[in-house]
Every structure is written in structure tokens, then in C-alpha cells.
């Protein structure tokens, strides 16, 4: 039985659907990602899984339990890190861990947990004095202190610098290695591609695609990207006739083509036939960001925009 089951989930606000028939399952031991543009319905979906919102229709189960009617039992197996979380600024890390441990009948020992998450030196530091990365590690610790079977992490690394983000990724990998199933909501393509076993792309309240990161990339219209600066202009008719070609861009004298391996071979043949030299020639595989754009028509946000 899947750890999480979501079937035809629907939720509207003021008559406007936020989630419109979302279905997916999360298997034991997975890191399952939910990816989508702002306002796509990601957080509403996850809040229904957490039991924080009551669905208008559909079925949600966490370890076979209804998060609304069996909320207390679900809370025993589910650890949650919310998209926006705050604590009283004068509360120390130690006090926060002791307080949250007191909420559970069989809490995990928070001391080794604090050590594992690199919080031992901050135990007597007040919450208001913690850095962004330290706060995120504390919220992960608070979600783990109940010894959950499943963790929900919503926009975990938004606002963190690249080093703190990568440190947090390693923590998530360690958590999964310890046997915890993870449901991860993220804006970051690199984060989803590195961490997730499978990803549901949600767009306009619906699942636009559900696959492994590699499977989503293979769906991209141009799975291979070729870019170069030609020594002389190429005939646009020759370029348009390239086999497998998905798109062409010209910027600052540089040509970028999206296509397939067949397109790469044809480009090389075209360059040789027309005696055009390709300066700074680069051939790369498409990324999850390319697949996201194809699926939603929305480019993945830059780090600055997401923060």
C-alpha cells in the first residue's frame, strides 16, 4: 500500500478551483517531488495531505488514514515543515526542541537529532538570532522530533544561499536513508532533479506530468541543446530543415538549437558543407527546467526571483 494516496483531489476558493482533480501516490522510502509555477495548487494539495485543509472532493490517505477524520493518528506518523514558519524570537533552540518533544507520546531523543543537524552549538541561541540556514535546520529537527514515518517539506530551501541549500539537500538525503518517506514541494529545478525519485508537475490545479526526473527531461521537445557562434550566417532554410529540430534562437551572434542527437549530426554536416566554423560549440542535454517550460509554458524561476 502506498504511504500517501491522493485521488481526484479538488479544492476551490470563492468558486475558483485551486486544485482540480489531482491524483498521485507516494511509495515507502521515496523522495516524491511536487513542482509547479506559483499559484499552481501545490501548497493547497500538500495542506490537504497534512489535514490542514478539508478537500471539497476526492480522497486523501496517509498510511491508510484520512488526514481530516483521523487527524490525531496521522499526526503521529507525519512530520511537517510548513512553507512559512516562525517561533517566538526569544525561544532558544533547546527550549523549542523540548517543547515540541513534549507534544508527542513517544518522541525521538532530540539531543542526537540536534547533533545530526548541526545545531549543538546553537542550543542556547535564541530563535531570533539564528541564520536562515540554522532556522531551516531547526524546523527540520522539529518535524523529526516526533519520529515520523513520513515528512512533508514545503519550499524548504527558499531564501537560502547556495551553500546552505546544498547542506540542506544532504540532510534530506540522510533523512531518506534513515527510512523516512519525503514529500517535497519545491520551486528549484536543480533541487528536484537531484533529490526526487519521482516528480508530479502541477499546473493550473492539475497534474501536467508525473515521472522520474530523467523521464520528464526525455519528454522535453528538445532533449539536446546545441549552441555556437558561426563564422558566417547560416541559411535559415537549411537550419529549419534540420531533422529533429524543436526550436532555434539567435542572440548576440550566437545560435542555440534544441533537438535530438540526429540534429547534432545534421548540424555538423551542415557546417562542413557550407564551410562555416562553429566557435565555442557546446552540446548539452536538456534539463528539468527545459521540461518544465515545455509542460507549463512557464520558465523555472531564477534563484533571485524565488528568494
Amino acid at each position: 500500500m502506498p504511504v500517501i494516496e491522493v485521488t481526484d483531489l479538488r479544492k476551490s476558493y470563492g468558486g475558483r478551483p485551486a486544485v482540480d482533480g489531482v491524483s498521485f501516490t507516494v511509495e515507502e522510502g521515496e523522495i516524491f517531488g511536487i513542482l509547479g509555477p506559483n499559484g499552481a495548487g501545490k501548497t493547497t494539495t500538500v495542506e490537504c495531505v497534512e489535514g490542514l485543509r478539508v478537500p471539497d472532493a476526492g480522497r486523501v490517505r496517509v498510511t491508510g488514514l484520512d488526514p481530516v477524520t483521523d487527524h490525531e493518528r496521522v499526526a503521529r506518523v507525519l512530520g511537517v515543515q510548513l512553507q512559512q514558519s516562525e517561533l517566538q524570537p526569544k525561544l532558544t533552540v533547546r527550549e523549542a526542541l523540548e517543547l515540541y518533544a513534549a507534544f508527542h507520546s513517544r518522541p525521538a531523543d532530540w539531543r542526537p537529532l540536534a547533533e545530526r543537524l548541526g545545531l549543538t552549538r546553537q542550543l542556547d541561541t535564541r530563535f531570533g538570532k539564528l541564520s536562515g540556514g540554522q532556522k531551516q535546520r531547526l524546523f527540520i529537527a522539529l518535524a523529526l522530533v516526533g519520529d515520523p514515518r513520513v515528512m512533508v517539506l514545503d519550499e524548504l530551501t527558499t531564501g537560502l544561499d547556495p551553500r546552505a541549500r546544498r547542506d540542506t539537500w544532504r540532510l534530506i538525503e540522510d533523512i531518506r536513508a534513515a527510512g523516512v518517506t519525503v514529500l517535497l514541494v519545491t520551486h528549484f529545478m536543480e533541487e528536484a532533479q537531484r533529490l526526487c525519485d519521482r516528480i508530479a508537475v502541477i499546473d493550473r490545479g492539475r497534474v501536467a506530468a508525473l515521472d522520474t526526473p530523467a523521464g520528464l527531461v526525455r519528454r522535453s521537445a528538445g532533449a539536446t541543446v546545441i549552441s555556437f557562434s558561426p563564422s558566417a550566417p547560416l541559411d535559415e532554410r537549411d537550419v529549419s530543415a534540420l531533422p529533429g529540430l524543436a526550436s532555434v534562437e539567435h542572440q548576440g551572434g550566437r545560435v542555440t538549437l534544441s533537438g535530438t542527437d540526429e540534429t547534432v549530426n545534421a548540424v555538423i554536416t551542415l557546417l562542413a558543407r557550407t564551410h562555416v566554423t562553429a566557435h565555442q560549440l557546446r552540446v548539452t542535454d536538456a534539463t528539468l527546467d527545459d521540461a518544465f517550460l515545455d509542460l507549463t509554458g512557464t520558465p523555472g524561476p531564477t534563484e533571485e526571483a524565488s528568494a
Side-chain angles (χ1 to χ4, degrees):
M1 181 180 68
V3 174
I4 298 175
E5 295 177 272
V6 177
T7 306
D8 199 25
L9 178 66
R10 298 176 188 274
K11 182 69 179 178
S12 297
Y13 301 107
R16 184 175 182 178
V19 179
D20 190 14
V22 165
S23 298
F24 62 86
T25 60
V26 181
E27 303 299 326
E28 182 116 28
E30 268 195 309
I31 299 179
F32 185 93
I34 295 181
L35 195 62
N38 286 330
K42 305 185 303 295
T43 294
T44 296
T45 297
V46 168
E47 287 176 344
C48 289
V49 170
E50 295 162 347
L52 298 179
R53 294 193 184 275
V54 180
D56 296 336
R59 184 175 186 270
V60 179
R61 293 293 183 269
V62 178
T63 65
L65 302 170
D66 186 317
V68 176
T69 60
D70 297 312
H71 188 73
E72 186 174 336
R73 294 170 67 191
V74 169
R76 294 173 192 163
V77 299
L78 190 66
V80 176
Q81 175 266 332
L82 298 173
Q83 184 175 3
Q84 293 183 330
S85 301
E86 286 294 329
L87 294 174
Q88 209 282 333
K90 294 186 177 180
L91 197 69
T92 67
V93 170
R94 185 193 309 275
E95 290 168 341
L97 289 165
E98 290 176 341
L99 176 64
Y100 274 65
F103 295 155
H104 301 276
S105 57
R106 295 181 180 178
D109 187 343
W110 61 262
R111 293 166 186 82
L113 192 58
E115 183 176 357
R116 176 180 163 197
L117 291 168
L119 291 169
T120 303
R121 293 184 179 180
Q122 284 78 41
L123 287 176
D124 295 317
T125 303
R126 299 184 189 278
F127 178 78
K129 297 294 185 180
L130 297 176
S131 69
Q134 290 167 344
K135 287 179 179 179
Q136 291 293 56
R137 290 200 296 274
L138 174 57
F139 286 127
I140 293 172
L142 297 178
L144 286 170
V145 79
D147 198 19
R149 183 177 165 189
V150 186
M151 278 194 71
V152 177
L153 306 172
D154 193 354
E155 302 293 357
L156 177 68
T157 61
T158 296
L160 298 187
D161 62 59
R163 180 183 296 276
R165 182 172 298 127
R166 282 163 176 76
D167 288 344
T168 304
W169 292 350
R170 284 191 287 271
L171 291 175
I172 301 310
E173 290 168 335
D174 289 345
I175 289 167
R176 191 263 288 279
V180 179
T181 301
V182 178
L183 178 59
L184 175 69
V185 182
T186 182
H187 269 108
F188 292 107
M189 305 297 139
E190 184 184 0
E191 180 168 283
Q193 193 156 9
R194 168 169 170 168
L195 293 177
C196 297
D197 299 297
R198 292 186 301 139
I199 298 169
V201 178
I202 296 182
D203 186 34
R204 298 177 183 87
R206 301 182 178 216
V207 176
L210 199 165
D211 207 335
T212 64
L216 291 174
V217 171
R218 283 195 296 269
R219 297 187 188 196
S220 177
T224 303
V225 179
I226 312 108
S227 63
F228 57 92
S229 298
S231 60
L234 292 169
D235 190 312
E236 287 301 316
R237 290 171 297 180
D238 290 337
V239 173
S240 300
L242 291 169
L245 184 68
S247 66
V248 182
E249 291 183 15
H250 298 270
Q251 186 172 14
R254 194 163 181 82
V255 179
T256 301
L257 311 172
S258 296
T260 64
D261 290 342
E262 188 180 9
T263 312
V264 177
N265 295 330
V267 167
I268 293 172
T269 300
L270 174 62
L271 292 170
R273 177 166 55 84
T274 57
H275 305 289
V276 173
T277 301
H279 297 290
Q280 298 179 320
L281 175 66
R282 295 178 184 174
V283 180
T284 59
D285 291 332
T287 65
L288 190 58
D289 196 72
D290 298 314
F292 185 85
L293 176 58
D294 287 341
L295 288 165
T296 67
T298 305
T302 62
E303 187 167 306
E304 291 77 12
S306 294

